[in-house]
Structure formats: C-alpha cells, structure tokens
Amino acid sequence: MKDVYTFDELNDHHDYAREHVVNGQRLHGGFDAGGNYIPPRTRSRAEALANWQRKLEAAGGSLFEADASLLTGPRMPNSEQQRLLLANGLTRPFWNGLTITGKIEARGRVLAEMQFPDLQQLVVEDISRMALGHLNKGLLVAHGIDEGGEPDKGIGGHDVMWFVARDLVIPPGTHPDVQPPESISRPEAGKRWMPEIAQPYEMFLSFLMNLLMIEFRAEIGFASTQQVLRAPELFTDHRAAAEDAAEIIERIRTDETIHVWGLRLVLGELRQLHVRTVDGGTMPAAPLIDRFWAGLVSWAVHEQPVLAAQTAYPALREQILDSGRGDALLDDFCKLADAGALPA
Ligand SMILES: [Fe+2]
Ligand SMILES: [Fe+2]
C-alpha cells in the first residue's frame, strides 16, 4: 500500500469534464461528465488519506474523535432570525455574515504560505509514512490553497466562493465593507497547555486543533446559510440565483470534508505516538492532545458562542430599530433567539 506521496501528488487535480465557473468568475474544482462537483487537489490526496487511515486503524488507532456534540451553542442571528430580517428588508446582517466568512476563509491561505515546525523533531517514532510526515510536504499547502484560492491565476477558493454566493442574492455595493475579528482561535495570552514540550510544537499542535474545531463547526454556518438561501419566501424575484448560491455553499462544504478528515487523521496518528519532552525524556502524546482538546471544547462549544452571540446583539438591535418596523420587529427577533444568545 502506497504511503509516501510527493508534493505534486498531494496537490494534483482530477481531470474535469467542465471547469467551475459562476457568473464569469473561475472557481476551484470542477465537474465530472455527469455534472457532479469534484473538489480541487483531491486526485491523490483522498487516496493518500484513505491509505494512512487504514494503516492507523491496522495499528489499533482511529481518527481523532469529533462528532455532532461539537455543533451546539447559540447563534446570533440564527437562521430563523436571519430569515425574519431578510423578509423585512434588512439584508445587511446576512451580507455581513457572508463577507466575514469569506474573509476568514481567505486567511486560511496562511497554511500554504507559512513555515511550520518539523514534527519529526518532536515525535520519537518515524512519521515519514504517515499523514503527519506529509503536513509540510504538500498537505497543508493543498489545504491552504483550497481556502484562499490562487488569486494570481484568477482561480477563486473558498473566500471568493462566499463572495460570489453573496453577490448572487445581494447586489454588490449595497452595504459598506466589514472586517472579521482579528482571530477566531482561542486567545491563549501566553498560557501554556503543554509545558512538557517545546513551545513552537505546542503552538503548532494548538494551531492544528483550533483549525479542526473551526473547520468542524463551520458546518453550523453552512447549514444556516443554506436554510436562508433556500427559504421560498426570500429572494422571490431571483429564486434561481439564491438556489445557485446555496449550491456554491454545498460545494464549499464538500471541499471541507477532506480538511476535517486530514486533521482528524494527523491528530489520531499523533495520539498513538510518543513525543520528546523539554527535560530530555519522552512521553505519550495522547494525554497532551486530550488535555488541550478538552479545554478547547469547553471554550469553543460552550463559552465562546454565548459571548459571540451577546457581543453581536447590540449592533443588530440598532439596525432593527432603525428600520421601518422598529420595536415590533425587535420584539419578534428576540422571541426567535437561541437560549443564551441575548445579553441578560
Ligand atoms: Fe474553507
Ligand atoms: Fe477548510
């Protein structure tokens, strides 16, 4: 079974029967002869992940656990609230949401551009025939280009896909530009979660686990956005365009599958291995990973969504009160809020 892949293999594409073009904008990936969407850079990458997963399972390991319990927490606005706002002509919150998501996706390109530490220096066992040993040999580059595209070639990645979907339903120039928060990872402020290992490795592992959490929870946004775009009562004068926009989101979701898979795989591999500690010894990696992940789950699934929802509320309240229906609309909006989403 093949378990060593070159950079070019991990970044090569299927032969597409048709390129992915929407509204004149070239986007990544393509379609097979049957019209099915095929994600970019997956010809060998998918086979490689499947082979490494088989090896991991044969050795008694498994993909790192990540399930629907990570998909909870309040959202502001949730999809019912968003639909209410749009039905009342308030398109700005939806426009802002899609714009911010696209800009966060664009930042993912850092995965293709940054130099990450060599995990072989940290891990005791040979990782050259594992997904772990391929992170810096094409896996992270493929992932990063999926997110941020190839602007120099005019090929849009996830960032541009969100913008194209947005522009299909809300005319460009309708609203002022918005910027995402500086970081959506857990702010660590110098706190060490894995003091047993050298800091650059802790930072890299923290980065990978934050990325898995963000990628996994992105599903909440895909589902909510699609519900809004597919709501029959909305965008009634351009339903077909709204359905096309929902399809673009579906393609992004399809692309994200291999990202979540790859991250669960490398973390699953790492849990089976040993790492070198700062005091010159070695220890199993599993307790370090599990400790960090438990803390991240409590922040990302329980604390952060409440905080984010409550922080988002005042600006939404202002926009609602400034609209024609003011108080009555705000009342309806608040009745639809998720538990914990409204400030006390
Ligand atoms: Fe993405
Ligand atoms: Fe992703």
Side-chain angles (χ1 to χ4, degrees):
M1 187 168 64
K2 184 168 156 80
D3 56 9
V4 175
Y5 287 82
T6 65
F7 179 96
D8 288 344
E9 282 173 326
L10 293 174
N11 283 272
D12 72 355
H13 300 267
H14 285 88
D15 294 321
Y16 307 123
R18 181 165 58 90
E19 282 183 350
H20 185 193
V21 180
V22 180
N23 254 357
Q25 169 67 56
R26 171 93 190 271
L27 301 168
H28 72 198
F31 299 88
D32 68 14
N36 303 299
Y37 175 72
I38 311 171
R41 290 165 285 277
T42 52
R43 175 146 66 183
S44 302
R45 187 164 42 144
E47 174 201 288
L49 294 187
N51 285 355
W52 291 321
Q53 182 179 345
R54 231 171 280 142
K55 277 183 66 178
L56 172 65
E57 288 168 351
S62 56
L63 292 182
F64 187 72
E65 191 68 41
D67 61 32
S69 67
L70 299 176
L71 298 179
T72 56
R75 224 175 126 77
M76 169 70 73
N78 62 29
S79 100
E80 290 75 26
Q81 289 177 311
Q82 196 69 268
R83 286 164 68 169
L84 174 74
L85 297 182
L86 286 163
N88 281 276
L90 263 82
T91 57
R92 188 167 166 187
F94 189 60
W95 191 92
N96 284 357
L98 301 190
T99 303
I100 286 170
T101 304
K103 291 189 178 193
I104 289 171
E105 294 264 20
R107 284 184 189 158
R109 207 173 194 290
V110 73
L111 286 167
E113 291 159 356
M114 227 166 98
Q115 197 55 48
F116 293 98
D118 176 9
L119 285 179
Q120 188 61 80
Q121 304 295 315
L122 171 73
V123 176
V124 175
E125 295 87 350
D126 177 14
I127 59 170
S128 63
R129 294 173 177 276
M130 301 179 189
L132 265 179
H134 288 76
L135 282 174
N136 288 330
K137 292 181 176 167
L139 267 189
L140 289 176
V141 168
H143 187 152
I145 300 177
D146 290 351
E147 309 294 11
E150 297 173 279
D152 49 323
K153 294 185 189 162
I155 303 175
H158 289 170
D159 53 344
V160 176
M161 289 166 81
W162 283 100
F163 302 147
V164 168
R166 174 196 69 191
D167 294 349
L168 281 172
V169 289
I170 300 171
T174 306
H175 299 294
D177 201 12
V178 279
Q179 299 304 331
E182 226 164 272
S183 167
I184 55 167
S185 293
R186 179 172 55 167
E188 303 298 1
K191 178 171 162 73
R192 294 292 308 270
W193 289 81
M194 308 176 219
E196 296 92 334
I197 61 172
Q199 191 166 23
Y201 299 118
E202 166 167 342
M203 286 172 69
F204 187 28
L205 299 184
S206 153
F207 178 81
L208 292 174
M209 283 188 266
N210 271 284
L211 187 58
L212 173 58
M213 184 62 81
I214 291 164
E215 296 266 358
F216 200 85
R217 282 180 58 85
E219 174 56 26
I220 303 171
F222 298 145
S224 171
T225 305
Q226 285 185 324
Q227 271 176 27
V228 170
L229 290 169
R230 288 175 174 154
E233 78 278 14
L234 301 176
F235 312 113
T236 44
D237 53 348
H238 45 291
R239 277 304 322 145
E243 295 295 335
D244 287 347
E247 253 331 286
I248 295 175
I249 308 305
E250 187 62 30
R251 290 172 206 143
I252 299 175
R253 172 192 265 151
T254 305
D255 295 344
E256 301 293 9
T257 309
I258 202 162
H259 298 170
V260 169
W261 184 16
L263 290 165
R264 292 183 61 196
L265 179 58
V266 292
L267 292 168
E269 287 175 346
L270 195 55
R271 284 191 82 263
Q272 297 287 96
L273 304 171
H274 294 78
V275 291
R276 296 177 209 284
T277 56
V278 281
D279 61 11
T282 66
M283 68 174 287
L288 296 177
I289 300 290
D290 295 348
R291 181 200 302 158
F292 187 91
W293 184 253
L296 185 58
V297 168
S298 121
W299 179 79
V301 180
H302 304 289
E303 294 164 41
Q304 198 274 343
V306 173
L307 192 68
Q310 296 187 356
T311 307
Y313 177 71
L316 286 164
R317 180 175 184 275
E318 204 171 306
Q319 288 175 46
I320 293 167
L321 288 177
D322 282 349
S323 77
R325 283 187 58 215
D327 290 326
L329 182 57
L330 183 64
D331 206 39
D332 293 344
F333 181 83
C334 289
K335 280 183 194 144
L336 292 172
D338 291 338
L342 289 171

